[in-house]
Amino acid sequence: MPSRLFFDNLGAILTYAVVGTLWNAFTTGTALWGLQQAGFVAPRVQAGLLDFLLFGSLISAVDPVAVLAVFEEVHVNETLFIIVFGESLLNDAVTVVLYKVCNSFVEMGSANVQATDYLKGVASLFVVSLGGAAVGLVFAFLLALTTRFTKRVRIIEPLLVFLIAYAAYLTAEMASLSAILAVTMCGLGCKKYVEANISHKSRTAVKYTMKTLASCAETVIFMLLGISAVDSSKWAWDSGLVLGTLFFILFFRAIGVVLQTWMLNQFRLVPLDKIDQVVMSYGGLRGAVAFALVILLDRTKVPAKDYFVATTIVVVFFTVIVQGLTIKPLVKWLKVKRSEHHKPTLNQELHEHTFDHILAAVEDVVGHHGYHYWRDRWEQFDKKYLSQLLMRRSAYRIRDQIWDVYYRLNIRDAISFVDQGGHILSSAGLTLPSMPSRNSAAETSVTNLLRESGSGACLDLQVIDTVRSGRDREDAVMHHLLCGGLYKPRRRYKASCSRHFISEDAQERQDKEVFQQNMKRRLESFKSTKHNICFTKSKPRLRKTGRKKDGVANTEATNGKPPRDLGFQDTAAVILTMESEEEEESDSSETEKEDDEGIIFVARATSEVLQEGKVSGSLEVCPSPRIIPPSPTCAEKELPWKSGQGDLAVYVSSETTKIVPVDMQTGWNQSMSSLESLASPPCTQAPTLTCLPLHPLGAEEPQAPLHLPSDPRPSFAFPPSLAKAGRSHSESSADIPQQQELQPLMGHKDHTHLSPRTANSHWCIQFNRSGRL
Amino acid sequence: MGSRSSHAAVIPDVDTIRRETGFSQASLLRLHHRFRALDRDKKGYLSRMDLQQIGALAVNPLGDCIIDSFFPSRSQRLDFSGFVRVLAHFRPVEEESPGIRDPKQPEPLNSRMNKLRFAFQLYDLDGDGLISRQEMLQVLRLMVGVQVTEEQLESIADRTVQEADEDGDGAVSFLEFTKSLEKMNIEQKMSIRILK
């Protein structure tokens, strides 16, 4: 359900849901009573005014299931759809309250009803609806918070979503609040955070399971309806009642819609025209809720129950079958504005954002606190507090809508490009990281990565997480293709702060920032070029300039430790020893970023790949001094396959793992060959159990065994993955590929064998033994 | 309030403004009130400083751009008619049957075309009628979060221009801009109800 649309039209939806349902209930009930008084309804239907009101209340509720089923077929424009659908969702509270109130009045007997009871009825309406919504929001919060921490247990994410949503439903039911509202609010409230937190596969699982379950439930309900219709002991027929009901619900709904629309159009920006109104009134389908409510009536209190049951069955059948079938031709005939399925373009996304900002600004100029102002305020609050609390750090940092759209478009392009038989390798003319240096078809890496999700055999929890690396690689590929140009050195900072990116700083800080950004923009772009030059020149300087924190990384750079130009193992070892004292987690992220830097400089392709992933990572190091990201998250948000390393870091609690690659990069800097081989490994990622380029490690092998002492002992101190990786490294290359496959967590094979090595101080010692230190 | 009266007579050229912008009397009065409230030094016109005083604009990524758009062609003064003229772009579009309007009259300021033109001018910083990649990049920089790198920004800018550019000149003209947004409900996205 499109939540933005929902909230934009919330006023209309609430009006139709509350006022419309009340109007329908009262008018239908009264009209039927009038019909009875006039004698069209047989006297054997013993029902008084209250009974008819009760019946009116349960028959007037538009059913979300039926509406959804029908409108999905019809594809009317989104505004219309969301209004009718939203109305059907929200009128549940009204229906339930009305039903309960009327039921209790009927039970008490019309003589005993007092004025206070009416007031209580009205009050209960608010309690039920607001209470239901509150329950839903509480569970939404709970769900979002829980999914934030499910990184290691991806497999239960869909389960969590279902269970907590269902728990919201049950809790509301238990408290006699509106259960549908609870579930709706739960979904609306948590959607944004849960989507960001759970893995791609979980998202797919949830989506399709829900659809399946919903289909099943719908089918069962209507089957029950059908079966009850055949069982004649449950109902009794009265023509006057049935026909009268049918006529009245249509008639009064039409009148109600017209009246409300007229009123709403005074306030709406885009008025609802006549055709919309026709569709709205015709699309008011009744469904299972009405049937369930009527079955629940107590025959002793409501003697006319059987007649009501029959009427309800007929009404439901009529609306669903007749109205449902004819609405599509009607829509076509009336030329209702249909929903347009256009491909999402970056332009639209970008301009939507622009317009939002413009409107908010103009509202500020005019001094009016309008809808956009409050929306803005809400978004600010959300970004500042809620998102930080409820979203996983990695997701929080890289979240940006414009970038998301671009990303998705890129992937789509990449897929279509490859599907058309394009050979990435030949066309781009670059040694893409995804391509191992041997000849493999372009599709192997690209499409295999894309289809890895199909290889369902892997049950390893960690593997599921690394899906993104494939896409990141596609992104890198597409980046090359699209840019088509020279790789530009990455600048380490971002020129501006969007209003919505608020870190833990105070608002004033950011205000000042934005102010300064506005003034200093030109100056900064100037600085950026200077930075780039710095980067290209030397890594140590890079480290220095990059680091805003007093991380150990800096010290390591400047400490005069053995220069990086030594074999990477040595430097790795060195850093390792140094780092092992460090508990500063941020270091790892720093080094990892440095790692990125190094990789960037080494080879275009590699750096591209790594750079793409490590968006936030490098940005964290950007000049804005206040940002001190906790390292595991940095690690996470860096390349997906590095997220495995992030986990490593957590296990090991010495970020040395990150450091190693950096040093490796420096090593690479010196020699083109190692550069090549090292370039490839970064691309390999865990999920590609199927086709892991074996060679990357192979290429490194010559170097590794040379420097490494042969004993892998310390590795056993590590988590098995690390151990294996370590072992793999010290062993012959034959093992490596195998190890690669066993180490989905260590997406980057390169890092795999490096990190475990370096992760352990024991290792360090052994490296030291190799003598270069 | 005191000796000040917000009577329409106080507003200079009220009739011309009304005709041009289509605001109702009440809206004009309200805007005039706001104009005077913003004009702290009672100069009779607004300077950039006055608009920058609005706190909320400072945290709006496009705040400065908006302020610039109020001031036409580098002049440093904004009088009431200019103020209102810009705001008129955001009036909601009335549903009028197209046949009635006098074709010789200029389009009302809040027509779809004019709204788009306003947005276009916001992007087109140098006023040459084309949004170049650089200009797109600049606007993107303003609006996109810090976590997106320069590299990515450039790719996004490239792609945006590519999507909209039809004649391949590497820049987006006004017509191309309009075309790329034809599916978007501009009337809704660029209207403020209060300005009816």
Side-chain angles (χ1 to χ4, degrees), chain A residues 459-503:
Chain A
L459 290 179
D460 194 331
L461 298 184
Q462 286 98 4
V463 174
I464 301 177
D465 199 22
T466 51
V467 171
R468 268 202 300 154
S469 37
R471 277 187 266 139
D472 274 311
R473 207 170 328 154
E474 308 319 322
D475 197 40
V477 164
M478 273 322 294
H479 185 92
H480 277 292
L481 291 174
L482 285 183
C483 280
L486 285 180
Y487 167 77
K488 301 176 202 77
R490 173 167 39 165
R491 297 175 212 159
R492 302 198 72 169
Y493 67 91
K494 265 303 300 130
S496 78
C497 256
S498 94
R499 156 184 17 194
H500 299 299
F501 176 79
I502 304 178
S503 72

Side-chain angles (χ1 to χ4, degrees), chain A residues 351 399 494 496 511 619, chain B residues 59 123 141 147-148 152 155:
Chain A
H351 296 311
R399 170 192 47 107
K494 265 303 300 130
S496 78
D511 290 355
L619 280 175
Chain B
V59 286
Y123 283 102
R141 250 195 225 122
Q147 62 271 22
V148 182
Q152 292 167 333
S155 346

Side-chain angles (χ1 to χ4, degrees), chain A residues 189-210:
Chain A
C190 76
K191 169 180 172 188
K192 175 174 162 191
Y193 311 106
V194 171
E195 256 185 7
N197 283 343
I198 68 180
S199 74
H200 180 69
K201 288 188 176 175
S202 301
R203 233 178 287 154
T204 317
V206 169
K207 179 170 161 189
Y208 286 104
T209 316
M210 281 299 194

Side-chain angles (χ1 to χ4, degrees), chain A residues 586-605:
Chain A
S586 43
D587 281 321
S588 62
S589 49
E590 282 196 356
T591 43
E592 193 154 340
K593 291 173 222 134
E594 288 187 282
D595 172 37
D596 298 349
E597 305 308 319
I599 298 185
I600 288 172
F601 286 96
V602 164
R604 277 163 51 162

